Short mmCIF file of all heavy atoms in Angstrom, two decimals:
data_model
loop_
_atom_site.label_atom_id
_atom_site.label_comp_id
_atom_site.label_asym_id
_atom_site.label_seq_id
_atom_site.Cartn_x
_atom_site.Cartn_y
_atom_site.Cartn_z
N GLY T 117 107.96 153.47 82.05
CA GLY T 117 108.88 154.11 81.12
C GLY T 117 108.19 155.24 80.41
O GLY T 117 107.34 155.92 80.99
N GLY T 118 108.48 155.35 79.15
CA GLY T 118 109.13 154.43 78.20
C GLY T 118 108.92 152.96 78.52
O GLY T 118 107.87 152.55 78.96
N GLU T 119 109.96 152.19 78.31
CA GLU T 119 109.95 150.77 78.58
C GLU T 119 111.02 150.46 79.61
O GLU T 119 112.21 150.54 79.33
CB GLU T 119 110.20 149.98 77.28
CG GLU T 119 110.43 148.51 77.47
CD GLU T 119 109.34 147.84 78.30
OE1 GLU T 119 108.15 148.17 78.14
OE2 GLU T 119 109.71 146.99 79.14
N PRO T 120 110.62 150.12 80.84
CA PRO T 120 111.59 149.96 81.92
C PRO T 120 112.62 148.86 81.69
O PRO T 120 113.73 148.93 82.21
CB PRO T 120 110.72 149.69 83.15
CG PRO T 120 109.42 149.22 82.60
CD PRO T 120 109.24 149.92 81.30
N THR T 121 112.27 147.84 80.90
CA THR T 121 113.20 146.73 80.72
C THR T 121 114.41 147.09 79.86
O THR T 121 115.34 146.30 79.75
CB THR T 121 112.50 145.50 80.11
OG1 THR T 121 111.97 145.84 78.83
CG2 THR T 121 111.39 145.01 81.01
N VAL T 122 114.42 148.29 79.25
CA VAL T 122 115.61 148.70 78.50
C VAL T 122 116.68 149.27 79.44
O VAL T 122 117.82 149.49 79.00
CB VAL T 122 115.28 149.70 77.37
CG1 VAL T 122 114.22 149.14 76.43
CG2 VAL T 122 114.83 151.05 77.94
N ARG T 123 116.33 149.50 80.70
CA ARG T 123 117.33 149.95 81.68
C ARG T 123 118.21 148.76 82.08
O ARG T 123 117.72 147.75 82.58
CB ARG T 123 116.67 150.53 82.94
CG ARG T 123 116.07 151.90 82.78
CD ARG T 123 116.95 153.05 83.18
NE ARG T 123 117.65 153.03 84.42
CZ ARG T 123 117.72 154.06 85.26
NH1 ARG T 123 117.05 155.18 84.99
NH2 ARG T 123 118.46 154.01 86.34
N LYS T 124 119.51 148.91 81.91
CA LYS T 124 120.43 147.81 82.23
C LYS T 124 120.51 147.55 83.73
O LYS T 124 120.89 146.45 84.15
CB LYS T 124 121.81 148.12 81.67
CG LYS T 124 121.85 148.18 80.14
CD LYS T 124 123.25 148.49 79.64
CE LYS T 124 123.28 148.55 78.12
NZ LYS T 124 124.64 148.85 77.59
N ASP T 125 120.14 148.55 84.53
CA ASP T 125 120.22 148.40 85.98
C ASP T 125 118.87 148.07 86.61
O ASP T 125 118.69 148.24 87.82
CB ASP T 125 120.80 149.67 86.62
CG ASP T 125 119.99 150.92 86.28
OD1 ASP T 125 119.12 150.86 85.38
OD2 ASP T 125 120.24 151.98 86.89
N LEU T 126 117.92 147.59 85.83
CA LEU T 126 116.57 147.35 86.34
C LEU T 126 116.57 146.35 87.49
O LEU T 126 115.88 146.56 88.50
CB LEU T 126 115.66 146.86 85.21
CG LEU T 126 114.21 146.56 85.59
CD1 LEU T 126 113.52 147.78 86.17
CD2 LEU T 126 113.44 146.02 84.38
N VAL T 127 117.31 145.26 87.37
CA VAL T 127 117.35 144.27 88.44
C VAL T 127 117.90 144.90 89.72
O VAL T 127 117.36 144.68 90.82
CB VAL T 127 118.21 143.06 88.02
CG1 VAL T 127 118.45 142.14 89.22
CG2 VAL T 127 117.52 142.29 86.90
N ASP T 128 118.95 145.70 89.59
CA ASP T 128 119.53 146.36 90.77
C ASP T 128 118.54 147.33 91.40
O ASP T 128 118.47 147.45 92.64
CB ASP T 128 120.81 147.11 90.37
CG ASP T 128 121.92 146.17 89.95
OD1 ASP T 128 121.91 145.00 90.38
OD2 ASP T 128 122.80 146.60 89.18
N ILE T 129 117.79 148.06 90.55
CA ILE T 129 116.81 149.01 91.08
C ILE T 129 115.75 148.28 91.90
O ILE T 129 115.41 148.68 93.02
CB ILE T 129 116.16 149.80 89.93
CG1 ILE T 129 117.16 150.78 89.32
CG2 ILE T 129 114.92 150.55 90.42
CD1 ILE T 129 116.65 151.49 88.08
N ILE T 130 115.22 147.19 91.36
CA ILE T 130 114.18 146.44 92.07
C ILE T 130 114.72 145.86 93.36
O ILE T 130 114.08 145.95 94.43
CB ILE T 130 113.60 145.34 91.16
CG1 ILE T 130 112.82 145.98 90.00
CG2 ILE T 130 112.70 144.39 91.95
CD1 ILE T 130 112.35 145.00 88.95
N ALA T 131 115.92 145.27 93.29
CA ALA T 131 116.50 144.69 94.51
C ALA T 131 116.72 145.75 95.58
O ALA T 131 116.47 145.51 96.77
CB ALA T 131 117.82 144.00 94.16
N SER T 132 117.15 146.93 95.17
CA SER T 132 117.38 148.01 96.13
C SER T 132 116.07 148.52 96.71
O SER T 132 115.97 148.81 97.91
CB SER T 132 118.14 149.15 95.47
OG SER T 132 119.43 148.74 95.05
N LEU T 133 115.04 148.64 95.87
CA LEU T 133 113.73 149.09 96.36
C LEU T 133 113.16 148.12 97.38
O LEU T 133 112.51 148.53 98.35
CB LEU T 133 112.76 149.26 95.19
CG LEU T 133 113.02 150.43 94.24
CD1 LEU T 133 112.03 150.41 93.08
CD2 LEU T 133 112.94 151.77 94.97
N LYS T 134 113.37 146.84 97.18
CA LYS T 134 112.84 145.85 98.11
C LYS T 134 113.51 145.93 99.48
O LYS T 134 113.01 145.35 100.44
CB LYS T 134 112.99 144.45 97.52
CG LYS T 134 112.09 144.19 96.33
CD LYS T 134 110.61 144.31 96.68
CE LYS T 134 110.15 143.20 97.58
NZ LYS T 134 108.67 143.27 97.85
N GLN T 135 114.62 146.64 99.56
CA GLN T 135 115.30 146.82 100.84
C GLN T 135 114.81 148.06 101.58
O GLN T 135 115.22 148.30 102.72
CB GLN T 135 116.81 146.92 100.61
CG GLN T 135 117.43 145.69 99.98
CD GLN T 135 117.18 144.43 100.79
OE1 GLN T 135 117.39 144.41 102.00
NE2 GLN T 135 116.73 143.38 100.12
N VAL T 136 113.97 148.86 100.94
CA VAL T 136 113.47 150.09 101.57
C VAL T 136 112.43 149.71 102.63
O VAL T 136 111.38 149.14 102.30
CB VAL T 136 112.87 151.04 100.52
CG1 VAL T 136 112.26 152.27 101.20
CG2 VAL T 136 113.93 151.46 99.51
N LYS T 137 112.71 150.03 103.85
CA LYS T 137 111.81 149.70 104.95
C LYS T 137 110.49 150.45 104.80
O LYS T 137 110.47 151.66 104.62
CB LYS T 137 112.47 150.05 106.28
CG LYS T 137 111.66 149.62 107.49
CD LYS T 137 112.38 149.93 108.78
CE LYS T 137 111.58 149.48 109.99
NZ LYS T 137 112.30 149.77 111.27
N GLY T 138 109.39 149.71 104.85
CA GLY T 138 108.07 150.31 104.74
C GLY T 138 107.46 150.18 103.36
O GLY T 138 106.25 150.37 103.19
#
Side-chain angles (χ1 to χ4, degrees):
E119 171 51 41
T121 61
V122 304
R123 285 265 313 225
K124 295 180 180 180
D125 57 348
L126 179 59
V127 170
D128 293 336
I129 290 173
I130 292 173
S132 297
L133 289 176
K134 291 299 291 184
Q135 299 303 312
V136 176
K137 186 177 181 180

